Amino acid sequence: MAGMAATCSSGLIFRTKESGSGGASLLQYNGLRAVESKQVASAGHRPNGFICTSAPKCRRIKAMASPAVSAPKRETDPKKRIVITGMGLVSVFGNDVDTFYNKLLEGVSGVTLIDRFDASTFSTQFAGQIRDFSSKGYIDGKNDRRLDDCWRYCLVAGRRALDDASLGPEVLQTMDRSRIGVLVGSGMGGLTAFSNGVEALIQKGYKKITPFFIPYSITNMGSALLAIDTGLMGPNYSISTACATANYCFYAAANHIRRGEADIMVAGGTEAAVNATGVGGFIACRALSQRNAEPHRASRPWDTGRDGFVIGEGSGVLIMESLEHATKRGANIIAEYLGGAITCDAHHMTDPRKDGLGVSSCITKSLEDAGVSPEEVNYVNAHATSTLAGDLAEFNAIKKVFKDTSEIKMNGTKAGNFCPTLVSMIGHGLGAAGGLEAIASIKAITTGWVHPTINQDNLEPAVTIDTVPNVKKKHEVNIAISNSFGFGGHNSVVVFAPFKP
């Protein structure tokens, strides 16, 4: 996410048997290998084995080395293999998946000056704002007028994904809907509904707050409304981990299927924070680009001239299904979800770890979960937020895991402060970003074309991986990983591949 200066480096202190009751063993960590241990005096001990002081510069958090793992082995059980049978989205380029990806391949920027509210006094006056959005055929007029955009985007993207998977209303009525769940998260929730409610309270008093204030503000409402609309009664909740939200949802949804709790999961992310509160809040964080004179060139991951991300909005939803169930119903299989992982930097609210440990360990764990070796990966849809610290921290983490990157293509959809892959063209969709990037990754697999990272004029000298600068490239994707990281140090990586029976 946004990279702000941090004064502390993190490290974790573990009590070991050798240390006894009078000391703790401090494992120094280099990548994924413990290289040094120290005894720490017991004076600063807490009973739980952690050392805590008030000085940030003293906080050292290091992790113990993982045990050696055997050669990767992919899942073969059709009940536990997870395939993608549908995709749906709402984006600055419209609601059609193919149109969305074609615009990305063309390198078109959807970033424009904001006209939804008066941003003339804001230091950032542009965004990946969705215009001319229509929910016709998906939401009735009365509810459409009441709903926060966050939930409107979710309902349309979710319904379009179900339609794409041949799971329209008539088909769903014939199925066991208690075996179909919904897991669509949001980083901010109904921010416009919340802002309007607070404004009504301050200006007119509590009696003028709409009864929809709470329901349309809370972050679980996307999953709830989509389930109510479609009658899906399986696992249903939301996850909110800032910009890592959608990937967290994919990971959790896959585990519901693998545990036999669902046959199908509707999973992804949704966000609508292009309003005065959202834009103003991120300006206060000093996270946004201020390139107002040329907004279409503001998002520039890995470029030496990057100055922050571009806020965006939308929704991206996948239909995740067990191979056994998809085969039985004759579903069209688009790609396969092989695995994923989630970790935490345990370092800083907004700044990434400089050593990239949380990210590199997350990538490694995702490959282990997927049964994939690093040598098999040849496409990375990077988080690449277009922040000074974040872009290089992620690159360093990727280099730790993938020793030979000569065959890897790495792009940024954000091309902004948060996610280089898409942000440059659509803005950073916050909780929706991972959903939109997952769709972009899957389209790269199915089309054989990787979209460019636009606005890349002067590449950071340290970045030695092919970032697909400015022009699309033909690339047969073997294994793709999609990275998403969020404020709070939340890391998430998901792994996709072409489906092979």
Side-chain angles (χ1 to χ4, degrees):
M1 303 225 4
M4 296 195 279
T7 58
C8 59
S9 67
S10 297
L12 180 59
I13 297 173
F14 293 89
R15 186 187 296 277
T16 66
K17 293 180 180 179
E18 289 78 6
S19 68
S21 60
S25 174
L26 179 63
L27 277 171
Q28 301 289 345
Y29 212 77
N30 179 9
L32 295 176
R33 187 166 55 90
V35 295
E36 170 184 12
S37 63
K38 298 179 181 179
Q39 289 297 314
V40 181
S42 60
H45 270 194
R46 286 186 175 183
N48 61 8
F50 285 85
I51 298 225
C52 180
T53 72
S54 59
K57 65 182 180 180
C58 296
R59 290 179 62 247
R60 298 185 59 80
I61 301 178
K62 302 291 176 182
M64 297 175 69
S66 301
V69 295
S70 57
K73 184 179 179 181
R74 292 194 202 175
E75 183 61 67
T76 58
D77 184 347
K79 293 182 179 180
K80 296 182 178 180
R81 283 183 68 182
I82 297 164
V83 292
I84 308 303
T85 56
M87 302 188 293
L89 57 73
V90 171
S91 78
V92 70
F93 295 135
N95 305 342
D96 180 74
V97 169
D98 290 338
T99 300
F100 167 77
Y101 198 64
N102 287 336
K103 291 290 187 181
L104 295 182
L105 290 177
E106 293 167 11
V108 175
S109 174
V111 177
T112 56
L113 291 174
I114 296 168
D115 62 10
R116 184 172 296 161
F117 64 93
D118 182 5
S120 60
T121 61
F122 284 45
S123 57
T124 294
Q125 300 168 8
F126 55 90
Q129 176 188 317
I130 292 174
R131 290 177 167 80
D132 303 320
F133 171 75
S134 172
S135 63
K136 187 177 180 180
Y138 298 102
I139 309 173
D140 68 74
K142 186 176 182 180
N143 283 325
D144 189 55
R145 289 189 296 273
R146 289 174 173 172
L147 284 172
D148 188 284
D149 280 345
C150 189
W151 314 135
R152 296 170 76 220
Y153 299 161
C154 172
L155 286 170
V156 172
R159 287 279 302 278
R160 290 185 69 90
L162 286 165
D163 289 344
D164 189 46
S166 299
L167 293 170
E170 292 182 0
V171 174
L172 287 176
Q173 287 178 5
T174 69
M175 301 177 71
D176 181 359
R177 284 174 284 180
S178 69
R179 300 283 302 167
I180 307 175
V182 184
L183 181 43
V184 180
S186 172
M188 312 289 282
L191 193 58
T192 296
F194 181 82
S195 300
N196 290 343
V198 172
E199 184 177 353
L201 172 65
I202 293 172
Q203 294 184 357
K204 302 176 182 179
Y206 80 92
K207 291 184 178 180
K208 294 299 181 180
I209 297 176
T210 170
F212 296 104
F213 169 50
I214 295 297
Y216 287 169
S217 295
I218 52 182
T219 57
N220 69 304
M221 203 47 64
S223 293
L225 290 172
L226 188 53
I228 292 168
D229 191 44
T230 55
L232 304 181
M233 299 176 67
N236 187 292
Y237 56 102
S238 68
I239 294 174
S240 184
T241 47
C243 307
T245 290
N247 274 6
Y248 270 68
C249 291
F250 296 141
Y251 177 73
N255 288 335
H256 283 297
I257 296 173
R258 286 175 171 172
R259 290 195 298 264
E261 297 164 356
D263 297 318
I264 300 174
M265 290 294 295
V266 183
T270 186
E271 205 78 84
V274 180
N275 55 38
T277 302
V279 175
F282 279 108
I283 289 174
C285 285
R286 289 176 286 180
L288 299 183
S289 169
Q290 298 183 15
R291 205 178 289 264
N292 293 311
E294 44 181 5
H296 61 289
R297 293 178 54 79
S299 185
R300 42 184 59 236
W302 302 300
D303 188 88
T304 56
R306 64 191 184 279
D307 70 330
F309 78 91
V310 177
I311 192 170
E313 58 182 350
S315 181
V317 175
L318 301 179
I319 305 302
M320 305 177 74
E321 187 168 359
S322 74
L323 175 58
E324 180 183 66
H325 193 271
T327 302
K328 283 183 178 179
R329 73 178 186 90
N332 175 48
I333 296 175
I334 303 168
E336 185 166 3
Y337 168 94
L338 295 181
I342 55 178
T343 65
C344 183
D345 277 357
H347 171 65
H348 190 270
M349 284 194 301
T350 56
D351 210 40
R353 290 179 61 103
K354 292 182 180 179
D355 61 7
L357 176 60
V359 172
S360 61
S361 64
C362 193
I363 295 173
T364 298
K365 289 175 183 293
S366 74
L367 299 183
E368 291 173 359
D369 186 52
V372 167
S373 66
E375 293 74 23
E376 295 178 85
V377 177
N378 67 344
Y379 174 55
V380 177
N381 188 296
H383 184 64
T385 59
S386 188
T387 55
L388 291 173
D391 285 10
L392 290 182
E394 181 180 13
F395 172 76
N396 290 335
I398 290 169
K399 288 288 288 184
K400 279 184 181 180
V401 178
F402 304 106
K403 304 305 181 185
D404 181 4
T405 58
S406 60
E407 300 299 318
I408 290 179
K409 296 287 186 277
M410 176 177 72
N411 62 359
T413 307
K414 305 180 180 74
N417 207 318
F418 283 95
C419 172
T421 321
L422 290 168
V423 171
S424 56
M425 291 176 273
I426 64 172
H428 185 8
L430 309 177
L436 294 168
E437 288 160 14
I439 292 173
S441 299
I442 293 168
K443 289 296 288 183
I445 289 171
T446 60
T447 64
W449 285 96
V450 175
H451 74 74
T453 305
I454 68 171
N455 299 332
Q456 200 168 94
D457 301 325
N458 298 292
L459 184 66
E460 281 280 3
V463 177
T464 55
I465 298 177
D466 184 354
T467 58
V468 196
N470 303 316
V471 179
K472 67 181 181 180
K473 287 187 178 181
K474 190 76 174 172
H475 187 58
E476 184 177 351
V477 178
N478 180 33
I479 301 289
I481 69 169
S482 181
N483 299 341
S484 286
F485 317 125
F487 279 176
H490 301 294
N491 305 310
S492 61
V493 180
V494 289
V495 185
F496 299 103
F499 172 67
K500 297 178 182 178

